[in-house]
Short mmCIF file of all heavy atoms in Angstrom, two decimals:
data_model
loop_
_atom_site.label_atom_id
_atom_site.label_comp_id
_atom_site.label_asym_id
_atom_site.label_seq_id
_atom_site.Cartn_x
_atom_site.Cartn_y
_atom_site.Cartn_z
N PRO J 24 3.12 -4.44 -12.79
CA PRO J 24 4.26 -3.90 -12.05
C PRO J 24 3.88 -3.06 -10.86
O PRO J 24 4.65 -2.96 -9.91
CB PRO J 24 5.02 -3.11 -13.11
CG PRO J 24 4.69 -3.81 -14.41
CD PRO J 24 3.26 -4.20 -14.27
N PHE J 25 2.69 -2.45 -10.90
CA PHE J 25 2.24 -1.63 -9.72
C PHE J 25 1.58 -2.44 -8.64
O PHE J 25 1.15 -1.89 -7.58
CB PHE J 25 1.32 -0.53 -10.17
CG PHE J 25 2.00 0.64 -10.82
CD1 PHE J 25 1.27 1.66 -11.41
CD2 PHE J 25 3.40 0.75 -10.90
CE1 PHE J 25 1.88 2.75 -12.04
CE2 PHE J 25 4.04 1.85 -11.49
CZ PHE J 25 3.27 2.81 -12.05
N THR J 26 1.39 -3.78 -8.82
CA THR J 26 0.79 -4.58 -7.76
C THR J 26 1.65 -4.64 -6.53
O THR J 26 1.14 -4.60 -5.40
CB THR J 26 0.49 -6.00 -8.28
OG1 THR J 26 -0.36 -5.90 -9.47
CG2 THR J 26 -0.15 -6.86 -7.25
N LEU J 27 2.94 -4.62 -6.73
CA LEU J 27 3.90 -4.60 -5.62
C LEU J 27 4.39 -3.18 -5.41
O LEU J 27 4.93 -2.60 -6.32
CB LEU J 27 5.05 -5.55 -5.91
CG LEU J 27 6.19 -5.56 -4.86
CD1 LEU J 27 5.69 -6.18 -3.56
CD2 LEU J 27 7.38 -6.31 -5.42
N GLY J 28 4.22 -2.67 -4.23
CA GLY J 28 4.68 -1.34 -3.86
C GLY J 28 5.57 -1.42 -2.66
O GLY J 28 5.68 -2.43 -2.01
N PHE J 29 6.23 -0.31 -2.40
CA PHE J 29 7.08 -0.23 -1.21
C PHE J 29 6.55 0.86 -0.33
O PHE J 29 6.49 2.05 -0.69
CB PHE J 29 8.55 0.03 -1.66
CG PHE J 29 9.08 -1.16 -2.43
CD1 PHE J 29 8.94 -1.27 -3.83
CD2 PHE J 29 9.66 -2.19 -1.75
CE1 PHE J 29 9.38 -2.32 -4.51
CE2 PHE J 29 10.11 -3.34 -2.45
CZ PHE J 29 9.95 -3.40 -3.81
N LEU J 30 6.14 0.44 0.87
CA LEU J 30 5.49 1.32 1.83
C LEU J 30 6.51 1.83 2.87
O LEU J 30 7.20 1.02 3.52
CB LEU J 30 4.36 0.55 2.55
CG LEU J 30 3.57 1.31 3.61
CD1 LEU J 30 2.67 2.34 2.90
CD2 LEU J 30 2.78 0.38 4.45
N GLY J 31 6.58 3.12 3.02
CA GLY J 31 7.43 3.70 3.98
C GLY J 31 6.63 4.24 5.17
O GLY J 31 5.57 4.79 5.00
N SER J 32 7.17 4.03 6.36
CA SER J 32 6.58 4.57 7.56
C SER J 32 7.71 4.93 8.55
O SER J 32 8.87 4.71 8.23
CB SER J 32 5.64 3.49 8.20
OG SER J 32 6.36 2.40 8.58
N LEU J 33 7.31 5.54 9.69
CA LEU J 33 8.24 5.90 10.71
C LEU J 33 8.29 4.79 11.73
O LEU J 33 7.26 4.46 12.33
CB LEU J 33 7.84 7.22 11.32
CG LEU J 33 8.83 7.88 12.22
CD1 LEU J 33 10.16 8.19 11.48
CD2 LEU J 33 8.29 9.16 12.85
N GLY J 34 9.47 4.19 12.00
CA GLY J 34 9.66 3.12 12.92
C GLY J 34 9.37 3.51 14.37
O GLY J 34 9.40 4.78 14.68
N LEU J 35 9.16 2.60 15.21
CA LEU J 35 8.95 2.89 16.63
C LEU J 35 10.16 3.56 17.27
O LEU J 35 10.03 4.30 18.24
CB LEU J 35 8.57 1.65 17.39
CG LEU J 35 7.25 1.00 16.94
CD1 LEU J 35 7.02 -0.32 17.69
CD2 LEU J 35 6.08 1.93 17.19
N ASP J 36 11.32 3.33 16.71
CA ASP J 36 12.57 3.94 17.19
C ASP J 36 12.84 5.31 16.52
O ASP J 36 13.87 5.93 16.78
CB ASP J 36 13.75 3.04 16.96
CG ASP J 36 14.05 2.77 15.51
OD1 ASP J 36 13.30 3.25 14.61
OD2 ASP J 36 15.03 2.05 15.23
N GLY J 37 11.91 5.74 15.67
CA GLY J 37 12.06 7.05 15.01
C GLY J 37 12.75 6.98 13.67
O GLY J 37 12.83 7.97 12.96
N GLY J 38 13.30 5.81 13.32
CA GLY J 38 13.99 5.65 12.03
C GLY J 38 12.99 5.27 10.93
O GLY J 38 11.87 4.78 11.18
N PRO J 39 13.42 5.45 9.65
CA PRO J 39 12.55 5.06 8.51
C PRO J 39 12.43 3.57 8.38
O PRO J 39 13.37 2.79 8.70
CB PRO J 39 13.26 5.69 7.31
CG PRO J 39 14.73 5.73 7.74
CD PRO J 39 14.68 5.99 9.23
N ARG J 40 11.26 3.13 7.88
CA ARG J 40 11.01 1.71 7.62
C ARG J 40 10.38 1.61 6.26
O ARG J 40 9.44 2.36 5.93
CB ARG J 40 10.08 1.08 8.66
CG ARG J 40 10.61 1.06 10.06
CD ARG J 40 11.76 0.07 10.17
NE ARG J 40 12.23 0.02 11.50
CZ ARG J 40 13.22 0.79 12.04
NH1 ARG J 40 13.73 1.71 11.27
NH2 ARG J 40 13.64 0.66 13.27
N ILE J 41 10.84 0.68 5.41
CA ILE J 41 10.27 0.48 4.12
C ILE J 41 10.12 -1.05 3.97
O ILE J 41 10.99 -1.79 4.28
CB ILE J 41 11.16 1.01 2.99
CG1 ILE J 41 11.32 2.53 3.17
CG2 ILE J 41 10.61 0.68 1.63
CD1 ILE J 41 12.29 3.15 2.17
N ARG J 42 8.92 -1.45 3.44
CA ARG J 42 8.73 -2.86 3.17
C ARG J 42 7.81 -2.98 2.00
O ARG J 42 7.06 -2.08 1.61
CB ARG J 42 8.10 -3.55 4.41
CG ARG J 42 6.62 -3.32 4.62
CD ARG J 42 6.28 -2.14 5.41
NE ARG J 42 6.72 -2.28 6.79
CZ ARG J 42 6.90 -1.22 7.58
NH1 ARG J 42 6.64 -0.03 7.19
NH2 ARG J 42 7.32 -1.39 8.82
N ALA J 43 7.89 -4.16 1.34
CA ALA J 43 7.06 -4.45 0.19
C ALA J 43 5.67 -4.80 0.66
O ALA J 43 5.48 -5.47 1.68
CB ALA J 43 7.66 -5.60 -0.59
N VAL J 44 4.67 -4.28 -0.09
CA VAL J 44 3.26 -4.59 0.17
C VAL J 44 2.60 -4.86 -1.14
O VAL J 44 3.00 -4.38 -2.24
CB VAL J 44 2.52 -3.45 0.91
CG1 VAL J 44 3.09 -3.27 2.33
CG2 VAL J 44 2.58 -2.18 0.13
N ILE J 45 1.51 -5.62 -1.11
CA ILE J 45 0.70 -5.90 -2.28
C ILE J 45 -0.56 -5.04 -2.24
O ILE J 45 -1.26 -5.03 -1.21
CB ILE J 45 0.29 -7.39 -2.32
CG1 ILE J 45 1.50 -8.30 -2.26
CG2 ILE J 45 -0.64 -7.68 -3.54
CD1 ILE J 45 2.39 -8.27 -3.49
N LEU J 46 -0.78 -4.28 -3.30
CA LEU J 46 -2.08 -3.54 -3.37
C LEU J 46 -3.22 -4.53 -3.57
O LEU J 46 -3.17 -5.34 -4.46
CB LEU J 46 -2.00 -2.54 -4.53
CG LEU J 46 -1.28 -1.24 -4.28
CD1 LEU J 46 0.17 -1.41 -3.98
CD2 LEU J 46 -1.46 -0.30 -5.47
N ARG J 47 -4.21 -4.45 -2.74
CA ARG J 47 -5.32 -5.35 -2.74
C ARG J 47 -6.59 -4.77 -3.31
O ARG J 47 -7.44 -5.50 -3.84
CB ARG J 47 -5.58 -5.92 -1.36
CG ARG J 47 -4.43 -6.70 -0.80
CD ARG J 47 -4.23 -7.99 -1.53
NE ARG J 47 -3.14 -8.74 -0.96
CZ ARG J 47 -2.73 -9.91 -1.44
NH1 ARG J 47 -3.29 -10.39 -2.51
NH2 ARG J 47 -1.73 -10.50 -0.92
N ALA J 48 -6.78 -3.48 -3.14
CA ALA J 48 -7.99 -2.79 -3.61
C ALA J 48 -7.68 -1.35 -3.83
O ALA J 48 -6.82 -0.76 -3.16
CB ALA J 48 -9.15 -2.98 -2.67
N PHE J 49 -8.43 -0.73 -4.73
CA PHE J 49 -8.32 0.73 -4.96
C PHE J 49 -9.74 1.26 -5.16
O PHE J 49 -10.50 0.74 -5.97
CB PHE J 49 -7.47 1.02 -6.20
CG PHE J 49 -7.49 2.47 -6.64
CD1 PHE J 49 -7.04 3.44 -5.81
CD2 PHE J 49 -8.05 2.80 -7.85
CE1 PHE J 49 -7.07 4.76 -6.16
CE2 PHE J 49 -8.10 4.15 -8.26
CZ PHE J 49 -7.62 5.14 -7.41
N ASP J 50 -10.04 2.32 -4.45
CA ASP J 50 -11.36 2.93 -4.55
C ASP J 50 -11.12 4.35 -5.15
O ASP J 50 -10.67 5.26 -4.40
CB ASP J 50 -12.04 3.01 -3.18
CG ASP J 50 -13.46 3.55 -3.29
OD1 ASP J 50 -13.80 4.29 -4.22
OD2 ASP J 50 -14.26 3.21 -2.37
N ARG J 51 -11.42 4.50 -6.38
CA ARG J 51 -11.27 5.81 -7.08
C ARG J 51 -12.07 6.91 -6.44
O ARG J 51 -11.61 8.04 -6.27
CB ARG J 51 -11.68 5.60 -8.53
CG ARG J 51 -11.51 6.84 -9.36
CD ARG J 51 -12.06 6.64 -10.78
NE ARG J 51 -11.32 5.63 -11.50
CZ ARG J 51 -10.71 5.85 -12.61
NH1 ARG J 51 -10.76 6.99 -13.21
NH2 ARG J 51 -10.10 4.87 -13.25
N ALA J 52 -13.29 6.59 -5.98
CA ALA J 52 -14.19 7.60 -5.43
C ALA J 52 -13.70 8.15 -4.10
O ALA J 52 -13.79 9.39 -3.90
CB ALA J 52 -15.58 7.03 -5.24
N THR J 53 -13.06 7.34 -3.30
CA THR J 53 -12.60 7.81 -1.95
C THR J 53 -11.12 8.14 -2.01
O THR J 53 -10.60 8.74 -1.08
CB THR J 53 -12.86 6.76 -0.90
OG1 THR J 53 -12.12 5.60 -1.20
CG2 THR J 53 -14.32 6.45 -0.74
N GLY J 54 -10.42 7.77 -3.02
CA GLY J 54 -9.00 7.97 -3.13
C GLY J 54 -8.24 7.10 -2.15
O GLY J 54 -7.22 7.54 -1.60
#
Side-chain angles (χ1 to χ4, degrees):
F25 282 174
T26 301
L27 176 69
F29 294 89
L30 181 72
S32 63
L33 189 62
L35 296 175
D36 64 357
R40 297 291 181 271
I41 299 175
R42 77 273 294 158
V44 295
I45 304 292
L46 277 63
R47 298 291 181 184
F49 170 64
D50 187 334
R51 180 186 296 240
T53 63

